Amino acid sequence: AKTSGKGRCEVFQPSHHADHLDRERLQADLYQALERQELVLHYQPIVDLAPRRISGYEALVRWEHPTRGMVPPVQFITLAEDSGLIVPIGRWILREATRQAAAWQQPDGRGPRMSVNVSVRQFQHPDLVDDVTEALRASGLAPDRLTLEITESLFAEDTAGTTQKLEALKALGIRLALDDFGTGYSSLSYLRRFPIDVLKIDKSFVHGIATCSEDRAVIGAIVALGQILDLVLVAEGIETADELAALEQLGVQYGQGYHLGRPGPPQHASPAAERRRSG
Ligand code: C2E
Ligand code: CA
Ligand code: CA
Ligand code: CA
């Protein structure tokens, strides 16, 4: 949220709808994108704030379109969901992100975590648990290094199926994070009901933190909730030193955002590259 003239907090609403024809053209191209290896993953650091150490990375998909250049995920994830292509694309993302994370592990078995976004339709597909199992097997990544990021929209329908699947995923030994926390279907009961380990505080609250006392209060309440329910908190979208300082003061342990590190290709994001940068 942002503060407007009279100290009110506004909610920022991005609009990402390509026009109809454009959607159809992109959709057709997307069918070939996987096969032609036009999809790539970028990685953004997730930082443990007190020691200021990279704890892991979030994988963010990019489409290097042959004529349009880099197409951002907001423009094609919805298309992929609508067409069902999200299932093979999501499977590839899981494979690639776990392969990369495994390559970044150190010989002593320690190394960065990897967070992978899972969209609703991909989650609901009957193959999801098998796809995650297979990605872990093929990469050799220890399950506790993998976090799947899901959104509150999963809980809107819900039901036994969702609970069962979340529990099957937890049984693999991975972690589950609730993405964009605070923006979606808001019932707190599901935090007790579902096996969630991590809350990612949505960037709309983070952007308001330095100027908007309501946003600060909301984050304070999320911190208290996190302590009661034993959840790990990650603040998203940290863009300034002031936002970072305010979050640390409120007791948020992990952060992510342009101020801490932008998403980049693997050679840019690798732990070795981070060590080079910090000297
Ligand atoms: P998200 O999961 O909430 O990812 C965070 C988004 O915020 C990313 O945008 C990231 O680049 C951006 N970001 C990071 N730091 C900052 C910051 O300091 N300020 C601002 N304003 N933005 C920041 P991106 O990569 O364009 O992805 C947008 C959304 O697309 C993601 O939101 C996620 O919902 C979806 N997405 C991205 N990659 C994947 C994927 O591999 N699979 C699925 N299913 N969805 C994905
Ligand atoms: Ca995410
Ligand atoms: Ca998010
Ligand atoms: Ca999101």
Side-chain angles (χ1 to χ4, degrees):
K2 280 203 169 78
T3 307
S4 66
K6 295 205 176 77
R8 288 179 50 248
C9 303
E10 296 168 354
V11 177
F12 173 67
Q13 300 270 9
S15 93
H16 21 76
H17 294 288
D19 64 67
H20 185 67
L21 262 179
D22 204 46
R23 274 178 67 97
E24 286 186 355
R25 229 175 279 138
L26 263 186
Q27 180 123 317
D29 292 351
L30 191 53
Y31 271 97
Q32 304 181 316
L34 243 191
E35 208 175 293
R36 296 185 179 169
Q37 307 190 327
E38 293 166 4
L39 298 180
V40 295
L41 296 184
H42 281 190
Y43 299 94
Q44 184 177 32
I46 298 175
V47 176
D48 189 351
L49 297 178
R52 273 295 198 287
R53 196 179 50 218
I54 293 178
S55 138
Y57 296 88
E58 178 176 0
L60 294 160
V61 69
R62 302 288 181 258
W63 178 9
E64 288 170 345
H65 189 283
T67 56
R68 291 166 195 253
M70 200 74 103
V71 183
V74 287
Q75 282 180 25
F76 70 87
I77 290 290
T78 317
L79 288 180
E81 284 244 305
D82 294 348
S83 61
L85 269 176
I86 192 66
V87 174
I89 289 176
R91 187 177 291 136
W92 176 82
I93 291 169
L94 276 166
R95 283 281 201 136
E96 180 61 16
T98 50
R99 186 197 61 74
Q100 185 61 74
W104 282 341
Q105 299 306 300
Q106 292 150 16
D108 64 0
R110 294 179 52 229
R113 298 178 180 276
M114 181 61 71
S115 276
V116 176
N117 292 284
V118 173
S119 60
V120 173
R121 180 132 180 217
Q122 186 190 359
F123 182 89
Q124 288 167 341
H125 194 275
D127 287 350
L128 178 72
V129 179
D130 286 347
D131 287 348
V132 175
T133 307
E134 180 53 23
L136 289 169
R137 192 204 59 76
S139 63
L141 184 68
D144 74 334
R145 298 288 89 191
L146 178 64
T147 303
L148 295 187
E149 299 194 0
I150 58 175
T151 55
E152 293 166 291
S153 47
L154 272 186
F155 306 132
E157 293 161 37
D158 183 23
T159 77
T162 305
T163 313
Q164 228 177 28
K165 195 169 271 188
L166 290 170
E167 272 161 8
L169 289 168
K170 279 300 295 175
L172 299 176
I174 68 169
R175 301 201 309 174
L176 296 172
L178 199 49
D179 205 352
D180 307 337
F181 182 69
T183 59
Y185 173 77
S186 30
S187 153
L188 296 179
S189 66
Y190 60 68
L191 287 182
R192 288 206 329 251
R193 208 144 33 90
F194 297 117
I196 302 293
D197 307 287
V198 180
L199 294 184
K200 298 194 76 174
I201 304 170
D202 190 67
K203 51 178 167 280
S204 58
F205 300 111
V206 171
H207 287 171
I209 196 170
T211 49
C212 170
S213 60
E214 287 160 34
D215 286 339
R216 208 153 43 236
V218 168
I219 294 184
I222 295 174
V223 170
L225 187 71
Q227 282 162 354
I228 293 166
L229 297 177
D230 196 21
L231 296 161
V232 172
L233 300 181
V234 181
E236 293 192 289
I238 303 173
E239 292 183 352
T240 68
D242 285 350
E243 288 167 0
L244 179 61
L247 288 161
E248 288 189 282
Q249 200 173 21
L250 286 169
V252 175
Q253 196 190 344
Y254 294 90
Q256 192 178 354
Y258 298 158
H259 181 70
L260 293 165
R262 288 182 177 262
Q267 60 277 19
H268 166 94
S270 74
E274 297 291 346
R275 277 195 298 275
R276 276 198 301 280
R277 263 199 296 281
S278 56

